[in-house]
Amino acid sequence: MDFNSVFGSWRHWPCSAICFLGSLFLLLNHVTGIASNSTYLIGLGSYDITGPAADVNMMGYANSEQVASGVHFRLQARAFIVAEPQGKRAVFVNIDACMASQIVTLKVLERLKARYGDLYNEHNVAISGIHTHAGPGGYLQYVVYIVTSLGFVRQSFDVIVDGIEKSIMQAHENLRPGSIFVNKGEILDAGVNRSPSAYLNNPEAERSKYKYNVDKEMTLLKFVDKQWGPVGSFNWFATHGTSMSRTNSLISGDNKGAAARFMEDWAEQSGLLEDVDNVYLDESKVESIKLNGIPRRVSNIIPNTCKNFNELEQLAASFRSSGGRPATRLLSVVRRVRSYLKQAERPRFISAFCQSNCGDVSPNVLGAFCVDTELPCDFNHSTCNGKNELCYGRGPGYPDEFESTRIIGERQFQRAVDLFKQASEQLTGKVDYRHSYLDFSKLEVTLPKASGGNEIVKTCPAAMGFAFAAGTTDGPGAFDFKQGDDQGNAFWRLVRNLLKTPGEEQKECQRPKPILLDTGEMEKPYAWAPAILPIQIIRIGQLVILGVPGEFTTMAGRRLRDAVKTVLTSGGHGEFDHNVHIVIAGLTNTYSQYVTTYEEYEMQRYEGASTLYGPHTLNAYIQEFKKLATALVTGGAIEPGVQPPDLLDRQISLLTPVVADATPIGVKFGDVGTDVPKNSGFKKGDMVAVTFWSACPRNDLMTEGTFALVEFLQNKDTWVPAYDDDDFCLRFKWSRPWKFSTHSHATIEWRIPESAASGVYRMRHFGAAKSFLGSIHHFTGSSSAFVVM
């Protein structure tokens, strides 16, 4: 910022304004003084991981027909590093992906070792997924997780690995003295239990300790740079990333990705100043300088013009569609609204909404209903007249999944803002960590016997039950499968046996689960499911993060947290008091599906059928995490275990490559196919749509760039970026007339937000076309201008 231009005419200011500026200067110095009691070095980073927006199956619902064909908003990897100035450091990365992947984690660690030596490794780096079901798949290494994506998808894998590495690099380069504050609070309307019958099978005495059948608490960290003030926040809250349905085809971070976008935009616009006031100043001083409300982003980028409609209409009429023309790859990056090339010296504000023990928690808070009768689904089996395919959960915006995503995202965002403003408990103390690899296919677990003494039980090789194929109320399965099935049927057992017949020992180990897929014992063409899993504890002062490689149900997570807390706060170690904050980071470092309690497993709903390693899986986690916690407080070492396999060189991909792109004779890439109506005007809330002749988005993922842009006309001759494909209100949709056609279209849809400034706008598309010789050519095109009043 040019301070001379801002303050150069101070001599002409009234005395009251000069006094106000002086007071503000003293107040901000007071703020800096309070905030500068730094405890750690902190650094945050963020990078685009939006994968292929065409042709690739989405990860989460295992629906082979759910194939990406555009972008709702972009996906990010967001990282923080916390280090003691002369001690240890820890890294936590939150990725807008369905889950972490073992092969992704291994390759990220390899890159970090090549770049930083032993500074970052499997012990102090955690990578966690938000569990969106609207991201491209094909980036995991085990067969069962890449069947519907037609095998491994190198583009999906590479963009995630690259983005995680670059987010950590940014965080590393941004390390500066700072402080971290923690706060907690409830969100009552962002999640419901989708398997309440299984939850009710837990002991009544245990259930009576809790007010709700899902966890309602959000735990938030606020990062405050010694020089710059607040620079970011990370929080953990349990709710599934299934606001977007199993038929959605637009890449989306779902409700948690939306919440992160809302909070980062809020902070960029006005939140930081308001936050500083509210946290560090008394109420009378707050009222004198705080901003009014939470403005939306665009009103801060462009002025709200006050011209009449006729004048704007005449101005818009002078700008017709440009026609397609060549462009450079960099142009898409430069024109992006949040381009890193436009960042000032001040660090970007980075906010991550991380996943927790979401196993049985649905964001579809209106409940599950039968689509044919509108009646609630069967309580025990989630069926409608015996069929699971008709039972669907409904989000708060039903029947609009985009609206449901916005609402659940905003509920998390608004609570996070409240906690961020009020955070006052500072983290102090050590940075430490423990990590171990464990073979969950044959882990011995010691359990107390009701009659006294102990017994030793074992976990099992991975297997999936019949109810796995029934799906959930967030995304039901097909055929005649149903949740709560502890018997199976002869036909599907016959089909199962064509792949692998489970032995008697395996069937007995997994009982009462009837085995549909014996994935832990299937090795052709390579391993179908993981056996070796990582578990991890990261400590930052009085905050403890439990990194688990799966989806723990509500009660499973509670038992794990309680067991770890007991270890940390007992034994006279003096390291922790009972105010220790323990969070579960779900879907971390790899993925191994679900973890239920023993009692929930007995019910064999979807979550129990997807608990891979048998009925004692949770007790195995509790036993091993207690060992990590004991080592953490005593300073002891942990056996590292055997590293999981690297199967990258064995991956198979059946996804056909892009052969070539073409347009009809006389048409160029970027030409407008369907323009806005001539002399058109739109109101806030209207939908504007323009279609362009395009090419396959797999030719260039436009990483850190954009496929779609809404531009605002400034000073009658300058087009300013206003919205892009990372905005919730803008959708980029891609289509081709048939699967192998070389022709394709891109449609940009803009739902005009209430915060949009009145004035003249136009749509713009960026793309990349592949010739029959294999070369890539970038292009752009613009629509005719139109008026928004």
Side-chain angles (χ1 to χ4, degrees):
M1 178 179 290
D2 184 356
F3 284 94
N4 287 326
S5 64
V6 177
F7 298 117
S9 58
W10 65 270
R11 295 178 182 84
H12 304 289
W13 288 11
C15 181
S16 58
I18 296 176
C19 291
F20 168 78
L21 181 61
S23 300
L24 180 59
F25 178 79
L26 293 174
L27 290 175
L28 292 178
N29 272 310
H30 176 60
V31 168
T32 303
I34 294 176
S36 65
N37 183 22
S38 56
T39 308
Y40 305 109
L41 300 176
I42 60 172
L44 288 84
S46 177
Y47 204 80
D48 187 0
I49 59 168
T50 307
D55 301 333
V56 175
N57 183 252
M58 289 183 164
M59 182 61 193
Y61 287 115
N63 175 15
S64 60
E65 296 180 358
Q66 188 191 12
V67 176
S69 61
V71 178
H72 180 205
F73 58 91
R74 288 193 164 258
L75 310 179
Q76 296 287 130
R78 297 173 172 93
F80 73 73
I81 299 176
V82 178
E84 293 182 83
Q86 303 300 323
K88 293 181 177 180
R89 61 183 59 200
V91 182
F92 188 91
V93 186
N94 189 62
I95 58 174
D96 290 347
C98 194
M99 66 281 290
S101 154
Q102 187 64 77
I103 192 61
V104 166
T105 301
L106 290 175
K107 294 309 176 184
V108 168
L109 293 174
E110 285 182 7
R111 292 191 184 188
L112 294 176
K113 183 174 180 61
R115 186 176 297 275
Y116 299 111
D118 294 329
L119 193 60
Y120 303 113
N121 51 62
E122 69 265 23
H123 302 290
N124 67 350
V125 175
I127 302 171
S128 178
I130 64 170
H131 209 39
T132 174
H133 286 42
Y139 64 93
L140 289 87
Q141 70 171 356
Y142 297 106
V143 173
V144 76
Y145 305 129
I146 55 176
V147 170
T148 57
S149 61
L150 301 179
F152 192 71
V153 180
R154 188 73 196 214
Q155 261 190 326
S156 295
F157 169 79
D158 284 341
V159 74
I160 294 175
V161 173
D162 291 344
I164 293 172
E165 181 192 22
K166 288 182 170 64
S167 71
I168 295 173
M169 289 168 56
Q170 286 182 21
H172 178 85
E173 293 164 2
N174 288 336
L175 278 170
R176 301 170 51 85
S179 304
I180 308 170
F181 298 85
V182 63
N183 201 4
K184 293 181 177 181
E186 288 187 337
I187 309 176
L188 299 180
D189 52 1
V192 296
N193 197 305
R194 69 185 187 187
S195 287
S197 60
Y199 180 87
L200 288 172
N201 205 44
N202 292 306
E204 194 281 330
E206 180 180 36
R207 288 185 283 111
S208 66
K209 296 190 298 183
Y210 303 99
K211 187 175 181 181
Y212 306 106
N213 63 0
V214 297
D215 286 339
K216 301 286 189 178
E217 188 170 71
M218 172 183 281
T219 300
L220 177 138
L221 297 183
K222 173 179 178 175
F223 295 88
V224 181
D225 184 283
K226 181 178 181 180
Q227 176 181 355
W228 297 108
V231 290
S233 71
F234 277 58
N235 68 70
W236 290 264
F237 176 75
T239 194
H240 248 75
T242 49
S243 293
M244 300 297 290
S245 75
R246 68 191 299 274
T247 59
N248 162 63
S249 64
L250 300 185
I251 291 175
S252 174
D254 209 277
N255 56 70
K256 286 189 175 290
R261 167 54 50 237
F262 298 155
M263 190 156 185
E264 288 176 347
D265 286 347
W266 164 80
E268 176 192 341
Q269 296 159 66
S270 67
L272 290 176
L273 177 58
E274 187 175 31
D275 166 78
V276 170
D277 298 338
N278 287 334
V279 173
Y280 298 114
L281 307 179
D282 64 56
E283 195 66 28
S284 62
K285 295 172 182 174
V286 169
E287 291 304 319
S288 67
I289 62 174
K290 76 176 184 179
L291 298 175
N292 294 321
I294 303 176
R296 294 300 180 186
R297 178 178 53 76
V298 169
S299 61
N300 280 5
I301 295 176
I302 52 183
N304 198 336
T305 57
C306 300
K307 299 178 180 179
N308 63 56
F309 178 79
N310 290 335
E311 183 180 350
L312 292 174
E313 186 179 48
Q314 291 176 13
L315 185 59
S318 63
F319 293 94
R320 306 308 301 165
S321 60
S322 65
R325 59 188 186 277
T328 63
R329 170 67 177 84
L330 185 61
L331 185 61
S332 168
V333 177
V334 171
R335 299 299 289 176
R336 188 184 180 194
V337 172
R338 301 168 187 82
S339 173
Y340 68 90
L341 298 176
K342 302 175 184 177
Q343 297 301 323
E345 180 184 351
R346 192 194 199 291
R348 286 187 295 172
F349 186 93
I350 294 170
S351 180
F353 285 69
C354 311
Q355 195 53 270
S356 191
N357 53 317
C358 68
D360 53 0
V361 188
S362 170
N364 296 311
V365 295
L366 299 185
F369 294 86
C370 299
V371 296
D372 56 346
T373 65
E374 297 294 317
L375 296 174
C377 304
D378 176 81
F379 182 75
N380 290 315
H381 301 291
S382 297
T383 55
C384 302
N385 293 319
K387 293 186 177 294
N388 70 289
E389 300 98 316
L390 301 178
C391 177
Y392 279 88
R394 295 179 177 178
Y398 175 82
D400 186 341
E401 61 190 304
F402 295 96
E403 184 66 4
S404 291
T405 301
R406 182 193 64 78
I407 293 170
I408 297 297
E410 281 203 345
R411 287 173 181 174
Q412 293 176 76
F413 153 63
Q414 293 289 358
R415 192 69 178 110
V417 168
D418 293 340
L419 296 175
F420 183 85
K421 292 178 180 180
Q422 298 163 14
S424 59
E425 179 186 344
Q426 187 170 351
L427 296 185
T428 59
K430 294 180 181 178
V431 173
D432 206 352
Y433 39 81
R434 292 294 186 276
H435 175 283
S436 183
Y437 289 117
L438 301 166
D439 188 346
F440 265 76
S441 70
K442 53 183 179 181
L443 200 60
E444 291 189 346
V445 184
T446 302
L447 297 177
K449 297 172 66 174
S451 59
N454 295 317
E455 64 174 333
I456 295 178
V457 297
K458 284 187 174 183
T459 56
C460 325
M464 295 153 70
F466 274 66
F468 157 78
T472 72
T473 56
D474 291 336
F479 304 109
D480 54 349
F481 295 102
K482 63 181 180 180
Q483 297 195 65
D485 183 359
D486 60 1
Q487 299 298 319
N489 68 61
F491 173 77
W492 288 111
R493 278 194 290 269
L494 180 63
V495 174
R496 170 201 69 190
N497 293 344
L498 295 175
L499 294 171
K500 174 72 172 67
T501 303
E504 291 302 317
E505 182 180 356
Q506 171 74 326
K507 287 192 284 188
E508 183 62 31
C509 186
Q510 291 278 354
R511 198 175 304 279
K513 177 198 293 178
I515 297 173
L516 177 63
L517 289 173
D518 191 16
T519 53
E521 298 182 312
M522 297 166 68
E523 297 290 338
K524 294 184 183 299
Y526 44 87
W528 278 55
I532 297 170
L533 302 178
I535 62 170
Q536 184 178 42
I537 288 185
I538 291 177
R539 174 197 176 179
I540 305 170
Q542 63 269 35
L543 176 81
V544 174
I545 303 171
L546 309 181
V548 300
E551 303 174 60
F552 278 54
T553 62
T554 299
M555 194 63 83
R558 288 167 175 171
R559 290 185 189 178
L560 178 62
R561 286 197 303 262
D562 288 348
V564 170
K565 184 173 183 178
T566 298
V567 173
L568 296 179
T569 58
S570 62
H573 301 294
E575 285 289 320
F576 296 92
D577 59 26
H578 287 276
N579 194 39
V580 60
H581 306 283
I582 300 176
V583 297
I584 290 175
L587 309 116
T588 295
N589 294 329
T590 190
Y591 184 62
S592 59
Q593 292 173 247
Y594 284 74
V595 180
T596 65
T597 67
Y598 183 90
E599 296 83 358
E600 291 166 347
Y601 186 91
E602 289 182 310
M603 300 299 289
Q604 279 301 294
R605 282 182 61 87
Y606 175 84
E607 295 81 13
S610 304
T611 296
L612 296 183
Y613 308 101
H616 304 296
T617 301
L618 174 59
N619 285 319
Y621 274 105
I622 290 173
Q623 172 183 280
E624 299 304 318
F625 264 101
K626 287 169 72 174
K627 294 178 183 177
L628 294 190
T630 299
L632 193 71
V633 295
T634 62
I638 285 287
E639 284 292 324
V642 178
Q643 184 168 302
D646 179 342
L647 302 177
L648 185 59
D649 292 338
R650 300 184 63 183
Q651 296 301 309
I652 297 170
S653 178
L654 302 178
L655 180 68
T656 55
V658 179
V659 176
D661 299 285
T663 57
I665 296 174
V667 175
K668 302 186 295 296
F669 290 109
D671 279 358
V672 172
T674 304
D675 206 350
V676 293
K678 189 175 181 180
N679 300 324
S680 55
F682 298 91
K683 305 185 298 297
K684 314 295 174 61
D686 286 348
M687 175 75 82
V688 186
V690 176
T691 298
F692 296 86
W693 284 94
S694 190
C696 185
R698 290 163 61 195
N699 296 326
D700 190 324
L701 305 185
M702 298 297 175
T703 303
E704 288 292 325
T706 183
F707 289 107
L709 191 65
V710 174
E711 296 178 314
F712 176 84
L713 184 62
Q714 195 172 61
N715 299 326
K716 297 187 178 182
D717 59 1
T718 303
W719 290 103
V720 179
Y723 299 88
D724 61 23
D725 67 11
D726 200 19
D727 277 290
F728 196 88
C729 62
L730 191 69
R731 300 172 196 169
F732 167 71
K733 296 182 176 181
W734 179 82
S735 63
R736 54 162 71 99
W738 49 280
K739 186 172 182 179
F740 297 107
S741 174
T742 57
H743 293 178
S744 64
H745 288 94
T747 299
I748 302 175
E749 294 180 350
W750 181 39
R751 177 72 67 184
I752 305 172
E754 294 299 322
S755 57
S758 298
V760 176
Y761 290 84
R762 72 177 182 183
M763 304 279 211
R764 188 168 182 183
H765 172 43
F766 297 92
K770 184 177 182 179
S771 72
F772 284 96
L773 298 177
S775 58
I776 302 295
H777 305 278
H778 290 84
F779 62 86
T780 187
S782 303
S783 74
S784 298
F786 55 91
V787 176
V788 172
M789 291 300 291

